[in-house]
Amino acid sequence: MPIYEYRCPKCEKVFEKLSLSWRSTLPPACPHCGSPETSRIQSRLGLVQGESPAASGSACAKPSSGFS
């Protein structure tokens, strides 16, 4: 479920709205002033990047067989 950002031209507030479908056609009313004249704005993309186990050197090692 995507989260979209909207701007209200009446009070100039920016707010986020969780959408249950990417096909939503009606913009939500402004939660600050109640105006139905909101418009979706371009959002920044946030990425979360983790470190790969091989790069850290301290990740899961192969279990030893117990024999040398």
Short mmCIF file of all heavy atoms in Angstrom, two decimals:
data_model
loop_
_atom_site.label_atom_id
_atom_site.label_comp_id
_atom_site.label_asym_id
_atom_site.label_seq_id
_atom_site.Cartn_x
_atom_site.Cartn_y
_atom_site.Cartn_z
N MET A 1 0.84 -1.18 0.00
CA MET A 1 0.00 0.00 0.00
C MET A 1 0.88 1.23 0.00
O MET A 1 1.68 1.42 0.92
CB MET A 1 -0.90 0.00 1.22
CG MET A 1 -1.96 -1.07 1.17
SD MET A 1 -3.08 -1.01 2.57
CE MET A 1 -2.10 -1.84 3.80
N PRO A 2 0.74 2.07 -0.99
CA PRO A 2 1.59 3.26 -1.08
C PRO A 2 1.13 4.39 -0.15
O PRO A 2 -0.03 4.49 0.20
CB PRO A 2 1.44 3.67 -2.55
CG PRO A 2 0.13 3.13 -2.96
CD PRO A 2 -0.08 1.88 -2.17
N ILE A 3 2.10 5.20 0.21
CA ILE A 3 1.82 6.42 0.97
C ILE A 3 2.10 7.58 0.03
O ILE A 3 3.19 7.69 -0.52
CB ILE A 3 2.70 6.53 2.23
CG1 ILE A 3 2.39 5.38 3.19
CG2 ILE A 3 2.47 7.87 2.92
CD1 ILE A 3 3.29 5.34 4.40
N TYR A 4 1.10 8.43 -0.17
CA TYR A 4 1.23 9.58 -1.05
C TYR A 4 1.28 10.86 -0.25
O TYR A 4 0.70 10.95 0.84
CB TYR A 4 0.05 9.65 -2.03
CG TYR A 4 0.01 8.51 -3.01
CD1 TYR A 4 -1.01 7.58 -2.98
CD2 TYR A 4 1.01 8.38 -3.98
CE1 TYR A 4 -1.05 6.54 -3.89
CE2 TYR A 4 0.98 7.34 -4.89
CZ TYR A 4 -0.05 6.42 -4.84
OH TYR A 4 -0.08 5.40 -5.74
N GLU A 5 1.96 11.87 -0.80
CA GLU A 5 1.99 13.20 -0.18
C GLU A 5 1.06 14.11 -0.95
O GLU A 5 1.00 14.05 -2.18
CB GLU A 5 3.40 13.78 -0.21
CG GLU A 5 4.32 13.17 0.82
CD GLU A 5 5.67 13.87 0.87
OE1 GLU A 5 6.28 14.02 -0.20
OE2 GLU A 5 6.07 14.27 1.96
N TYR A 6 0.35 14.94 -0.20
CA TYR A 6 -0.60 15.89 -0.80
C TYR A 6 -0.31 17.28 -0.25
O TYR A 6 0.22 17.43 0.84
CB TYR A 6 -2.04 15.50 -0.44
CG TYR A 6 -2.49 14.22 -1.07
CD1 TYR A 6 -2.27 13.00 -0.44
CD2 TYR A 6 -3.14 14.21 -2.30
CE1 TYR A 6 -2.69 11.81 -1.02
CE2 TYR A 6 -3.55 13.03 -2.89
CZ TYR A 6 -3.32 11.83 -2.24
OH TYR A 6 -3.72 10.66 -2.82
N ARG A 7 -0.70 18.29 -1.03
CA ARG A 7 -0.58 19.69 -0.59
C ARG A 7 -1.96 20.34 -0.72
O ARG A 7 -2.67 20.12 -1.68
CB ARG A 7 0.40 20.45 -1.46
CG ARG A 7 0.55 21.92 -1.05
CD ARG A 7 1.46 22.73 -1.96
NE ARG A 7 2.74 22.12 -2.18
CZ ARG A 7 3.80 22.24 -1.37
NH1 ARG A 7 3.71 22.95 -0.27
NH2 ARG A 7 4.94 21.66 -1.67
N CYS A 8 -2.28 21.14 0.28
CA CYS A 8 -3.53 21.88 0.28
C CYS A 8 -3.25 23.31 -0.16
O CYS A 8 -2.45 24.01 0.48
CB CYS A 8 -4.14 21.87 1.68
SG CYS A 8 -5.65 22.87 1.81
N PRO A 9 -3.87 23.79 -1.24
CA PRO A 9 -3.64 25.17 -1.67
C PRO A 9 -4.29 26.21 -0.75
O PRO A 9 -3.87 27.36 -0.72
CB PRO A 9 -4.25 25.22 -3.06
CG PRO A 9 -5.26 24.14 -3.07
CD PRO A 9 -4.76 23.08 -2.14
N LYS A 10 -5.27 25.80 0.03
CA LYS A 10 -5.96 26.73 0.92
C LYS A 10 -5.11 27.10 2.14
O LYS A 10 -4.90 28.27 2.43
CB LYS A 10 -7.29 26.13 1.36
CG LYS A 10 -8.14 27.06 2.17
CD LYS A 10 -9.48 26.45 2.48
CE LYS A 10 -10.31 27.40 3.33
NZ LYS A 10 -11.58 26.79 3.71
N CYS A 11 -4.58 26.09 2.83
CA CYS A 11 -3.78 26.36 4.03
C CYS A 11 -2.29 26.10 3.81
O CYS A 11 -1.48 26.33 4.70
CB CYS A 11 -4.29 25.54 5.22
SG CYS A 11 -4.02 23.77 5.07
N GLU A 12 -1.92 25.60 2.62
CA GLU A 12 -0.54 25.34 2.21
C GLU A 12 0.17 24.29 3.06
O GLU A 12 1.38 24.26 3.13
CB GLU A 12 0.25 26.63 2.14
CG GLU A 12 -0.30 27.60 1.12
CD GLU A 12 0.56 28.82 0.93
OE1 GLU A 12 1.66 28.88 1.48
OE2 GLU A 12 0.10 29.73 0.22
N LYS A 13 -0.59 23.43 3.70
CA LYS A 13 0.00 22.34 4.49
C LYS A 13 0.26 21.15 3.58
O LYS A 13 -0.44 20.92 2.60
CB LYS A 13 -0.95 21.90 5.61
CG LYS A 13 -1.28 22.98 6.60
CD LYS A 13 -0.17 23.15 7.59
CE LYS A 13 -0.61 24.13 8.66
NZ LYS A 13 0.37 24.37 9.64
N VAL A 14 1.29 20.37 3.91
CA VAL A 14 1.60 19.13 3.22
C VAL A 14 1.31 17.99 4.19
O VAL A 14 1.65 18.07 5.36
CB VAL A 14 3.09 19.10 2.78
CG1 VAL A 14 3.46 17.74 2.20
CG2 VAL A 14 3.37 20.21 1.77
N PHE A 15 0.66 16.94 3.69
CA PHE A 15 0.34 15.80 4.54
C PHE A 15 0.47 14.51 3.75
O PHE A 15 0.51 14.52 2.52
CB PHE A 15 -1.07 15.95 5.14
CG PHE A 15 -2.19 15.98 4.12
CD1 PHE A 15 -2.89 14.82 3.80
CD2 PHE A 15 -2.54 17.16 3.49
CE1 PHE A 15 -3.90 14.85 2.87
CE2 PHE A 15 -3.56 17.20 2.56
CZ PHE A 15 -4.24 16.03 2.25
N GLU A 16 0.56 13.40 4.47
CA GLU A 16 0.68 12.08 3.86
C GLU A 16 -0.62 11.32 4.05
O GLU A 16 -1.32 11.51 5.04
CB GLU A 16 1.80 11.28 4.51
CG GLU A 16 3.16 11.89 4.30
CD GLU A 16 4.25 11.11 5.02
OE1 GLU A 16 3.93 10.33 5.95
OE2 GLU A 16 5.41 11.26 4.66
N LYS A 17 -0.90 10.45 3.09
CA LYS A 17 -2.10 9.62 3.17
C LYS A 17 -1.78 8.22 2.68
O LYS A 17 -1.23 8.04 1.59
CB LYS A 17 -3.21 10.25 2.30
CG LYS A 17 -4.50 9.48 2.26
CD LYS A 17 -5.23 9.56 3.56
CE LYS A 17 -6.58 8.86 3.42
NZ LYS A 17 -7.28 8.75 4.64
N LEU A 18 -2.10 7.22 3.48
CA LEU A 18 -1.93 5.83 3.10
C LEU A 18 -3.07 5.47 2.17
O LEU A 18 -4.24 5.66 2.49
CB LEU A 18 -1.96 4.94 4.34
CG LEU A 18 -1.90 3.44 4.09
CD1 LEU A 18 -0.53 3.06 3.53
CD2 LEU A 18 -2.15 2.70 5.38
N SER A 19 -2.74 4.96 1.00
CA SER A 19 -3.75 4.61 0.02
C SER A 19 -3.96 3.10 0.03
O SER A 19 -3.01 2.33 0.02
CB SER A 19 -3.30 5.06 -1.37
OG SER A 19 -4.24 4.65 -2.34
N LEU A 20 -5.20 2.68 0.02
CA LEU A 20 -5.50 1.26 0.00
C LEU A 20 -5.37 0.69 -1.41
O LEU A 20 -5.35 -0.51 -1.59
CB LEU A 20 -6.90 1.01 0.56
CG LEU A 20 -7.10 1.45 2.00
CD1 LEU A 20 -8.54 1.19 2.44
CD2 LEU A 20 -6.14 0.75 2.93
N SER A 21 -5.27 1.56 -2.39
CA SER A 21 -5.11 1.13 -3.77
C SER A 21 -4.37 2.21 -4.54
O SER A 21 -4.58 3.40 -4.33
CB SER A 21 -6.47 0.90 -4.42
OG SER A 21 -6.33 0.68 -5.80
N TRP A 22 -3.50 1.82 -5.46
CA TRP A 22 -2.78 2.80 -6.27
C TRP A 22 -3.70 3.43 -7.30
O TRP A 22 -3.36 4.40 -7.94
CB TRP A 22 -1.55 2.17 -6.93
CG TRP A 22 -1.88 1.05 -7.86
CD1 TRP A 22 -1.98 -0.27 -7.54
CD2 TRP A 22 -2.14 1.13 -9.25
NE1 TRP A 22 -2.30 -1.00 -8.65
CE2 TRP A 22 -2.40 -0.17 -9.72
CE3 TRP A 22 -2.19 2.18 -10.17
CZ2 TRP A 22 -2.71 -0.45 -11.05
CZ3 TRP A 22 -2.50 1.90 -11.49
CH2 TRP A 22 -2.75 0.60 -11.91
N ARG A 23 -4.89 2.88 -7.45
CA ARG A 23 -5.85 3.40 -8.43
C ARG A 23 -6.78 4.46 -7.85
O ARG A 23 -7.73 4.86 -8.52
CB ARG A 23 -6.69 2.26 -8.97
CG ARG A 23 -5.91 1.27 -9.77
CD ARG A 23 -6.83 0.24 -10.33
NE ARG A 23 -6.12 -1.02 -10.39
CZ ARG A 23 -6.66 -2.18 -10.59
NH1 ARG A 23 -7.95 -2.27 -10.75
NH2 ARG A 23 -5.94 -3.27 -10.63
N SER A 24 -6.55 4.90 -6.65
CA SER A 24 -7.42 5.90 -6.04
C SER A 24 -7.47 7.15 -6.91
O SER A 24 -6.43 7.67 -7.31
CB SER A 24 -6.92 6.27 -4.65
OG SER A 24 -6.98 5.17 -3.80
N THR A 25 -8.67 7.60 -7.22
CA THR A 25 -8.81 8.75 -8.11
C THR A 25 -9.15 10.04 -7.38
O THR A 25 -8.80 11.11 -7.84
CB THR A 25 -9.90 8.49 -9.17
OG1 THR A 25 -11.12 8.18 -8.51
CG2 THR A 25 -9.49 7.33 -10.07
N LEU A 26 -9.82 9.95 -6.26
CA LEU A 26 -10.21 11.16 -5.53
C LEU A 26 -9.16 11.51 -4.49
O LEU A 26 -8.81 10.68 -3.65
CB LEU A 26 -11.56 10.96 -4.84
CG LEU A 26 -12.75 10.73 -5.75
CD1 LEU A 26 -13.99 10.42 -4.92
CD2 LEU A 26 -12.99 11.96 -6.61
N PRO A 27 -8.64 12.74 -4.52
CA PRO A 27 -7.68 13.14 -3.48
C PRO A 27 -8.41 13.32 -2.15
O PRO A 27 -9.59 13.67 -2.12
CB PRO A 27 -7.13 14.46 -3.99
CG PRO A 27 -8.13 14.97 -4.95
CD PRO A 27 -8.84 13.78 -5.52
N PRO A 28 -7.73 13.06 -1.04
CA PRO A 28 -8.37 13.19 0.27
C PRO A 28 -8.53 14.66 0.66
O PRO A 28 -7.83 15.54 0.15
CB PRO A 28 -7.38 12.50 1.20
CG PRO A 28 -6.06 12.67 0.53
CD PRO A 28 -6.35 12.60 -0.95
N ALA A 29 -9.44 14.90 1.56
CA ALA A 29 -9.61 16.25 2.10
C ALA A 29 -8.44 16.56 3.03
O ALA A 29 -7.84 15.67 3.62
CB ALA A 29 -10.92 16.34 2.87
N CYS A 30 -8.11 17.82 3.13
CA CYS A 30 -7.01 18.26 3.99
C CYS A 30 -7.37 18.00 5.46
O CYS A 30 -8.44 18.42 5.92
CB CYS A 30 -6.75 19.75 3.78
SG CYS A 30 -5.48 20.42 4.87
N PRO A 31 -6.50 17.31 6.21
CA PRO A 31 -6.81 17.04 7.62
C PRO A 31 -6.67 18.29 8.50
O PRO A 31 -7.15 18.30 9.63
CB PRO A 31 -5.77 15.99 8.01
CG PRO A 31 -4.64 16.18 7.08
CD PRO A 31 -5.25 16.67 5.80
N HIS A 32 -6.05 19.35 7.99
CA HIS A 32 -5.84 20.56 8.77
C HIS A 32 -7.02 21.54 8.66
O HIS A 32 -7.46 22.08 9.66
CB HIS A 32 -4.55 21.26 8.34
CG HIS A 32 -3.35 20.38 8.45
ND1 HIS A 32 -2.74 20.07 9.65
CD2 HIS A 32 -2.65 19.71 7.51
CE1 HIS A 32 -1.72 19.25 9.44
NE2 HIS A 32 -1.65 19.02 8.14
N CYS A 33 -7.50 21.76 7.42
CA CYS A 33 -8.58 22.74 7.23
C CYS A 33 -9.84 22.13 6.63
O CYS A 33 -10.86 22.81 6.56
CB CYS A 33 -8.10 23.90 6.37
SG CYS A 33 -7.83 23.47 4.63
N GLY A 34 -9.77 20.88 6.16
CA GLY A 34 -10.94 20.22 5.61
C GLY A 34 -11.21 20.49 4.14
O GLY A 34 -12.20 20.01 3.59
N SER A 35 -10.36 21.26 3.49
CA SER A 35 -10.57 21.59 2.08
C SER A 35 -10.46 20.35 1.20
O SER A 35 -9.54 19.55 1.34
CB SER A 35 -9.52 22.61 1.64
OG SER A 35 -9.61 22.83 0.24
N PRO A 36 -11.39 20.17 0.25
CA PRO A 36 -11.32 19.03 -0.67
C PRO A 36 -10.44 19.32 -1.89
O PRO A 36 -10.29 18.47 -2.75
CB PRO A 36 -12.78 18.84 -1.09
CG PRO A 36 -13.36 20.21 -1.02
CD PRO A 36 -12.65 20.89 0.13
N GLU A 37 -9.83 20.47 -1.95
CA GLU A 37 -9.05 20.91 -3.11
C GLU A 37 -7.57 20.51 -3.03
O GLU A 37 -6.71 21.27 -3.46
CB GLU A 37 -9.14 22.43 -3.25
CG GLU A 37 -10.54 22.95 -3.37
CD GLU A 37 -11.17 22.60 -4.71
OE1 GLU A 37 -10.45 22.57 -5.73
OE2 GLU A 37 -12.38 22.35 -4.73
N THR A 38 -7.25 19.35 -2.48
CA THR A 38 -5.86 18.95 -2.35
C THR A 38 -5.33 18.35 -3.65
O THR A 38 -6.10 17.90 -4.50
CB THR A 38 -5.69 17.91 -1.22
OG1 THR A 38 -6.49 16.77 -1.51
CG2 THR A 38 -6.09 18.49 0.11
N SER A 39 -4.01 18.34 -3.79
CA SER A 39 -3.40 17.74 -4.98
C SER A 39 -2.16 16.94 -4.55
O SER A 39 -1.46 17.32 -3.62
CB SER A 39 -3.02 18.81 -6.00
OG SER A 39 -2.11 19.73 -5.44
N ARG A 40 -1.96 15.83 -5.24
CA ARG A 40 -0.82 14.96 -4.93
C ARG A 40 0.45 15.62 -5.44
O ARG A 40 0.48 16.19 -6.52
CB ARG A 40 -1.01 13.59 -5.57
CG ARG A 40 -0.11 12.55 -4.96
CD ARG A 40 -0.53 11.17 -5.33
NE ARG A 40 0.08 10.84 -6.61
CZ ARG A 40 -0.16 9.74 -7.27
NH1 ARG A 40 -1.02 8.87 -6.83
NH2 ARG A 40 0.42 9.51 -8.41
N ILE A 41 1.51 15.54 -4.64
CA ILE A 41 2.79 16.13 -5.03
C ILE A 41 3.84 15.04 -5.17
O ILE A 41 3.67 13.92 -4.68
CB ILE A 41 3.26 17.20 -4.00
CG1 ILE A 41 3.42 16.60 -2.61
CG2 ILE A 41 2.29 18.37 -3.98
CD1 ILE A 41 4.02 17.55 -1.60
N GLN A 42 4.92 15.38 -5.83
CA GLN A 42 6.03 14.45 -6.03
C GLN A 42 6.71 14.20 -4.70
O GLN A 42 7.13 15.13 -4.02
CB GLN A 42 7.03 15.04 -7.03
CG GLN A 42 8.15 14.13 -7.40
CD GLN A 42 7.69 12.99 -8.29
OE1 GLN A 42 6.77 13.15 -9.07
NE2 GLN A 42 8.32 11.86 -8.17
N SER A 43 6.81 12.95 -4.32
CA SER A 43 7.44 12.58 -3.05
C SER A 43 8.90 12.24 -3.24
O SER A 43 9.32 11.85 -4.33
CB SER A 43 6.74 11.36 -2.45
OG SER A 43 5.40 11.62 -2.23
N ARG A 44 9.65 12.37 -2.16
CA ARG A 44 11.03 11.89 -2.17
C ARG A 44 10.99 10.39 -1.98
O ARG A 44 10.15 9.86 -1.28
CB ARG A 44 11.81 12.53 -1.03
CG ARG A 44 12.09 14.01 -1.29
CD ARG A 44 12.68 14.63 -0.09
NE ARG A 44 11.53 14.96 0.78
CZ ARG A 44 11.60 15.08 2.07
NH1 ARG A 44 12.71 14.93 2.71
NH2 ARG A 44 10.53 15.37 2.77
N LEU A 45 11.93 9.71 -2.57
CA LEU A 45 12.01 8.26 -2.46
C LEU A 45 12.95 7.90 -1.33
O LEU A 45 14.09 8.35 -1.29
CB LEU A 45 12.51 7.65 -3.77
CG LEU A 45 12.66 6.15 -3.82
CD1 LEU A 45 11.30 5.49 -3.63
CD2 LEU A 45 13.26 5.73 -5.14
N GLY A 46 12.49 7.09 -0.40
CA GLY A 46 13.32 6.66 0.71
C GLY A 46 13.68 5.20 0.55
O GLY A 46 12.81 4.37 0.35
N LEU A 47 14.94 4.91 0.63
CA LEU A 47 15.41 3.54 0.50
C LEU A 47 16.13 3.12 1.77
O LEU A 47 16.85 3.90 2.37
CB LEU A 47 16.38 3.39 -0.68
CG LEU A 47 15.83 3.70 -2.06
CD1 LEU A 47 16.95 3.62 -3.09
CD2 LEU A 47 14.74 2.72 -2.42
N VAL A 48 15.94 1.88 2.13
CA VAL A 48 16.66 1.32 3.26
C VAL A 48 17.58 0.27 2.69
O VAL A 48 17.15 -0.65 2.01
CB VAL A 48 15.70 0.69 4.29
CG1 VAL A 48 16.49 0.04 5.41
CG2 VAL A 48 14.74 1.72 4.80
N GLN A 49 18.85 0.44 2.92
CA GLN A 49 19.83 -0.48 2.37
C GLN A 49 20.59 -1.12 3.51
O GLN A 49 21.16 -0.44 4.35
CB GLN A 49 20.78 0.25 1.43
CG GLN A 49 21.74 -0.67 0.72
CD GLN A 49 22.60 0.10 -0.28
OE1 GLN A 49 22.56 1.31 -0.35
NE2 GLN A 49 23.36 -0.62 -1.05
N GLY A 50 20.60 -2.43 3.52
CA GLY A 50 21.32 -3.15 4.56
C GLY A 50 22.68 -3.58 4.05
O GLY A 50 22.98 -3.53 2.87
N GLU A 51 23.50 -3.99 4.98
CA GLU A 51 24.84 -4.46 4.63
C GLU A 51 24.75 -5.94 4.32
O GLU A 51 24.11 -6.69 5.03
CB GLU A 51 25.78 -4.21 5.81
CG GLU A 51 27.22 -4.47 5.48
CD GLU A 51 28.11 -4.07 6.64
OE1 GLU A 51 27.84 -3.05 7.29
OE2 GLU A 51 29.06 -4.80 6.90
N SER A 52 25.42 -6.38 3.27
CA SER A 52 25.38 -7.80 2.93
C SER A 52 26.22 -8.57 3.94
O SER A 52 27.23 -8.09 4.43
CB SER A 52 25.90 -8.03 1.51
OG SER A 52 27.28 -7.78 1.45
N PRO A 53 25.81 -9.80 4.28
CA PRO A 53 26.55 -10.59 5.26
C PRO A 53 28.00 -10.84 4.85
O PRO A 53 28.89 -10.85 5.69
CB PRO A 53 25.78 -11.91 5.34
CG PRO A 53 24.43 -11.59 4.83
CD PRO A 53 24.60 -10.47 3.85
N ALA A 54 28.27 -11.03 3.57
CA ALA A 54 29.63 -11.31 3.12
C ALA A 54 30.53 -10.09 3.30
O ALA A 54 31.72 -10.21 3.56
CB ALA A 54 29.63 -11.73 1.66
N ALA A 55 29.97 -8.90 3.18
CA ALA A 55 30.77 -7.68 3.28
C ALA A 55 31.17 -7.38 4.71
O ALA A 55 32.21 -6.78 4.96
CB ALA A 55 30.00 -6.50 2.70
N SER A 56 30.37 -7.78 5.68
CA SER A 56 30.67 -7.43 7.06
C SER A 56 31.72 -8.33 7.68
O SER A 56 32.39 -7.95 8.63
CB SER A 56 29.39 -7.47 7.90
OG SER A 56 28.94 -8.80 8.02
N GLY A 57 31.84 -9.54 7.19
CA GLY A 57 32.82 -10.46 7.73
C GLY A 57 32.42 -11.09 9.04
O GLY A 57 33.04 -12.03 9.51
N SER A 58 31.38 -10.60 9.69
CA SER A 58 30.98 -11.16 10.98
C SER A 58 29.63 -11.84 10.90
O SER A 58 29.02 -12.11 11.92
CB SER A 58 30.94 -10.04 12.03
OG SER A 58 29.97 -9.09 11.66
N ALA A 59 29.16 -12.07 9.72
CA ALA A 59 27.85 -12.70 9.55
C ALA A 59 27.97 -14.20 9.77
O ALA A 59 29.02 -14.72 10.12
CB ALA A 59 27.32 -12.40 8.16
N CYS A 60 26.91 -14.87 9.52
CA CYS A 60 26.85 -16.33 9.74
C CYS A 60 27.99 -17.03 9.02
O CYS A 60 28.16 -16.90 7.82
CB CYS A 60 25.52 -16.88 9.23
SG CYS A 60 24.10 -16.19 10.07
N ALA A 61 28.73 -17.76 9.77
CA ALA A 61 29.81 -18.55 9.19
C ALA A 61 29.31 -19.95 8.94
O ALA A 61 28.31 -20.39 9.52
CB ALA A 61 31.00 -18.58 10.12
N LYS A 62 29.99 -20.68 8.08
CA LYS A 62 29.61 -22.06 7.83
C LYS A 62 29.83 -22.85 9.10
O LYS A 62 30.85 -22.69 9.78
CB LYS A 62 30.48 -22.65 6.71
CG LYS A 62 30.17 -22.08 5.36
CD LYS A 62 31.02 -22.79 4.29
CE LYS A 62 30.77 -22.22 2.94
NZ LYS A 62 31.59 -22.86 1.91
N PRO A 63 28.88 -23.70 9.44
CA PRO A 63 29.07 -24.50 10.66
C PRO A 63 30.23 -25.48 10.46
O PRO A 63 30.39 -26.05 9.39
CB PRO A 63 27.74 -25.23 10.84
CG PRO A 63 27.06 -25.14 9.52
CD PRO A 63 27.61 -23.94 8.81
N SER A 64 31.00 -25.65 11.50
CA SER A 64 32.11 -26.58 11.39
C SER A 64 31.61 -27.99 11.59
O SER A 64 30.60 -28.22 12.27
CB SER A 64 33.19 -26.24 12.41
OG SER A 64 32.69 -26.45 13.71
N SER A 65 32.30 -28.95 10.99
CA SER A 65 31.89 -30.35 11.10
C SER A 65 32.36 -30.97 12.40
O SER A 65 31.97 -32.07 12.75
CB SER A 65 32.42 -31.14 9.91
OG SER A 65 33.84 -31.12 9.95
N GLY A 66 33.23 -30.26 13.11
CA GLY A 66 33.74 -30.80 14.35
C GLY A 66 35.03 -31.60 14.15
O GLY A 66 35.65 -32.05 15.09
N PHE A 67 35.41 -31.84 12.90
CA PHE A 67 36.63 -32.58 12.59
C PHE A 67 37.66 -31.64 12.01
O PHE A 67 37.34 -30.75 11.26
CB PHE A 67 36.36 -33.70 11.57
CG PHE A 67 35.38 -34.71 12.08
CD1 PHE A 67 34.08 -34.76 11.61
CD2 PHE A 67 35.77 -35.63 13.06
CE1 PHE A 67 33.18 -35.68 12.08
CE2 PHE A 67 34.86 -36.56 13.52
CZ PHE A 67 33.57 -36.59 13.04
N SER A 68 38.89 -31.81 12.37
CA SER A 68 39.96 -30.96 11.84
C SER A 68 40.72 -31.66 10.75
O SER A 68 40.99 -32.79 10.75
CB SER A 68 40.95 -30.58 12.94
OG SER A 68 40.28 -29.85 13.92
#
